[in-house]
Amino acid sequence: MTNCPECEATVPNHDKIPGEVFPCIDCGTELEVLKTDPFAVQPAPKEAEDWGE
Ligand SMILES: [Zn+2]
C-alpha cells in the first residue's frame, strides 16, 4: 500500500492496475495508479474545467 499525496491516508492497492483512476477513500481526491510494484499513485489530472475560450 501507499499513502494519499493529498491527505496521507493509507491507500490499499487491492486489485489496482497502472493507469487506473480512483478516489481516495478519505479525502476523495482522484488518484491515478503510476505502478503497482512498488505501489505508487499521483493526483489524477483534472479533465473537466479546461475547455477555455
Ligand atoms: Zn486523500
Side-chain angles (χ1 to χ4, degrees):
M1 59 182 69
T2 187
N3 294 92
C4 173
E6 294 293 325
C7 71
E8 303 299 323
T10 298
V11 179
N13 63 335
H14 181 67
D15 288 342
K16 294 293 189 299
I17 59 175
E20 182 172 350
V21 175
F22 63 98
C24 171
I25 57 174
D26 202 62
C27 70
T29 296
E30 295 274 286
L31 303 174
E32 178 178 2
V33 180
L34 292 177
K35 53 188 176 181
T36 55
D37 186 23
F39 188 48
V41 301
Q42 69 174 7
K46 293 283 190 296
E47 292 185 23
E49 300 179 46
D50 191 31
W51 296 90
E53 307 301 313

